[in-house]
Amino acid sequence: MTETSPASPTTPRESAHAFSGTALSALASRPRGGPPWLEERRAEAASRFDATGFPAPNDEAFRFTELGRVLRVPYASVPARRVSSPLDRLAARRIHIDGGRVDVAGLGDEAGVEVRRLRDVLDEAPARLEPYLAALAASHDGFVAQNTALLDDGVVVVVRAGTKAGPLHLAYSGGVASPAFATPRAVVVAERGSELDLVESHAGDGEYLENAVTEVFVGEGASVEHVRMALGSERSAAVATIAVRQSRDSRYRSRILSFGGSKLTRVDLRVELAEQGAECSLDGVFLADGGSLVDHHTRVVHGSPRCTSSQRYRGIADGHGVGVFDGTVIVRPGASGTEAHQESRNLLLSNDATVHAKPHLEIDTDDVRCSHGATVGRLDPAQLFYLRSRGIDESVARSLLTYAFAREVVSGVGRADVREVLEEIVADRLPSGLIAKELA
């Protein structure tokens, strides 16, 4: 079991933002003990955070992400209540993570599938987690460093070799009466030749900040479809890092849906194609409405020959909303036969909305097929005229076109039951969207 050290004075940097002081205090009394390799990783992350703190405005990766609206809040680590999610109606095995605390009632092994509390695995067989925990995401930035330094519990999912599993629903939520934060952690391992349908839902209510980290290991010949949906409230905020490592001939499919209504939704997705023949497809759709900021960063590293990646993101911004897509593809020396494509298409539904789209490539080898492109525009007047000429009300026509635009991503979800629920969620978030869904 993890021990906790007594609190110690924080540094002067704590006055920069209200939450920075809380974070430094939390790190001063961070969890300690456990296996030496884990304590070393925690300590390295704590040192990194103590030196750099949260990202500053001049940090290139956060230059479009206005963090002041989040970091000025004096969050505390307090218990949070469960918040329901539309994905709860899925016929899936569900594990609740409430404010970072794992509901043990949803755990337990099934044939070929192990779902356990991270703390229990660390107590019983810590060596099993050494190759995985904080191996991909240790301290990429201040948020990941904070999560790793405070690492004490979480969820471990292992799909045994040759097993087909899912859908498995990790339901993250946090409802709070006073400002609070949580740092949930998950490790997912799909062993050789296995298949996993993994669904995540994230819902916050009240002045709640979730700083989540998920590490996914896709074994040789394994396949993972990973669907992630975020629904925030007006005062909530969420920062997430997803780090993925793929082995030979593996498949990873990411489908991310992020909806506004919160102060900040930020998702960093990092995929390492570590061995030849690996393939990944990263699709996402986001809606930044009201005054929300929805920010997606992707980073795909082609480290071996004959790997394939595709990225297809759709952004919708309305009101004073701000949307961001920043995607990087890196092709390492020797990664011949690489095929990598990026596409970012974005809709502005109001004159005050903003989208920043920045797909880019870094290629250090020959014999590659790579492309990237981005568009930011408005609904096609000709298509609107066509629908209006067929007697469809203008607001419904606009929603019909917007719904069809977003549905391009949702239609790629493999499981029909998950796809149907996601289509309903997308329609529900758009004005007249449910009518548009019936007409689509």
Side-chain angles (χ1 to χ4, degrees), residues 91-95 104-116 128 156-169 191 195-197 415:
R93 185 182 180 193
R94 188 182 314 130
I95 293 88
V104 295
L107 303 183
D109 296 350
E110 294 181 355
V113 184
E114 177 185 6
V115 183
R116 304 189 64 192
R128 290 184 56 200
V156 177
V157 177
V158 179
V159 183
R160 300 299 182 196
T163 301
K164 295 184 178 181
L168 179 65
H169 179 193
E191 294 184 348
E195 297 181 17
L196 171 64
D197 288 310
R415 288 188 63 98

Side-chain angles (χ1 to χ4, degrees), residues 123-172:
D123 284 346
E124 298 168 12
R128 290 184 56 200
L129 286 176
E130 186 174 1
Y132 307 114
L133 183 59
L136 295 181
S139 54
H140 293 311
D141 58 51
F143 287 102
V144 180
Q146 184 209 31
N147 184 294
T148 300
L150 298 179
L151 208 165
D152 185 37
D153 203 358
V155 178
V156 177
V157 177
V158 179
V159 183
R160 300 299 182 196
T163 301
K164 295 184 178 181
L168 179 65
H169 179 193
L170 302 182
Y172 295 84

Side-chain angles (χ1 to χ4, degrees), residues 168-219:
L168 179 65
H169 179 193
L170 302 182
Y172 295 84
S173 67
V176 294
S178 60
F181 76 97
T183 55
R185 191 86 176 208
V187 174
V188 179
V189 180
E191 294 184 348
R192 180 175 182 172
S194 64
E195 297 181 17
L196 171 64
D197 288 310
L198 179 66
V199 178
E200 285 186 50
S201 63
H202 296 258
D205 186 23
E207 206 142 22
Y208 176 70
L209 170 62
E210 180 187 80
N211 174 18
V213 174
T214 302
E215 295 172 292
V216 182
F217 297 82
V218 190

Side-chain angles (χ1 to χ4, degrees), residues 3-270:
E3 300 174 355
T4 302
S5 68
S8 61
T10 59
T11 71
R13 225 175 6 85
E14 68 183 73
S15 61
H17 293 289
F19 184 43
S20 295
T22 302
L24 287 165
S25 297
L27 262 62
S29 57
R30 65 180 175 84
R32 298 179 188 271
W37 59 265
L38 176 58
E39 177 55 22
E40 181 180 341
R41 293 173 194 181
R42 285 198 197 108
E44 190 278 333
S47 296
R48 170 71 181 270
F49 184 86
D50 188 60
T52 64
F54 291 114
N58 61 354
D59 187 318
E60 178 65 21
F62 284 80
R63 67 191 183 101
F64 296 125
T65 310
E66 205 284 291
L67 291 175
R69 64 173 77 186
V70 173
L71 299 183
R72 282 192 290 266
V73 177
Y75 300 101
S77 180
V78 298
R81 59 177 171 80
R82 183 169 301 170
V83 178
S84 62
S85 161
L87 282 174
D88 287 348
R89 62 178 179 267
L90 274 177
R93 185 182 180 193
R94 188 182 314 130
I95 293 88
H96 287 283
I97 302 95
D98 306 323
R101 296 174 303 173
V102 182
D103 181 358
V104 295
L107 303 183
D109 296 350
E110 294 181 355
V113 184
E114 177 185 6
V115 183
R116 304 189 64 192
R117 288 183 64 182
L118 188 153
R119 182 182 295 179
D120 290 341
V121 180
L122 286 173
D123 284 346
E124 298 168 12
R128 290 184 56 200
L129 286 176
E130 186 174 1
Y132 307 114
L133 183 59
L136 295 181
S139 54
H140 293 311
D141 58 51
F143 287 102
V144 180
Q146 184 209 31
N147 184 294
T148 300
L150 298 179
L151 208 165
D152 185 37
D153 203 358
V155 178
V156 177
V157 177
V158 179
V159 183
R160 300 299 182 196
T163 301
K164 295 184 178 181
L168 179 65
H169 179 193
L170 302 182
Y172 295 84
S173 67
V176 294
S178 60
F181 76 97
T183 55
R185 191 86 176 208
V187 174
V188 179
V189 180
E191 294 184 348
R192 180 175 182 172
S194 64
E195 297 181 17
L196 171 64
D197 288 310
L198 179 66
V199 178
E200 285 186 50
S201 63
H202 296 258
D205 186 23
E207 206 142 22
Y208 176 70
L209 170 62
E210 180 187 80
N211 174 18
V213 174
T214 302
E215 295 172 292
V216 182
F217 297 82
V218 190
E220 181 177 344
S223 176
V224 173
E225 178 166 85
H226 187 181
V227 175
R228 185 187 195 278
M229 187 200 70
L231 285 171
S233 64
E234 184 177 352
R235 295 187 297 158
S236 66
V239 178
T241 298
I242 304 166
V244 183
R245 186 186 187 279
Q246 292 187 240
S247 299
R248 185 185 183 100
D249 297 327
S250 62
R251 307 290 181 267
Y252 177 75
R253 298 182 298 278
S254 167
R255 307 291 182 257
I256 295 180
L257 295 89
S258 299
F259 299 99
S262 60
K263 290 186 291 187
L264 170 66
T265 300
R266 161 98 181 197
V267 181
D268 282 85
L269 174 57
R270 301 165 176 264

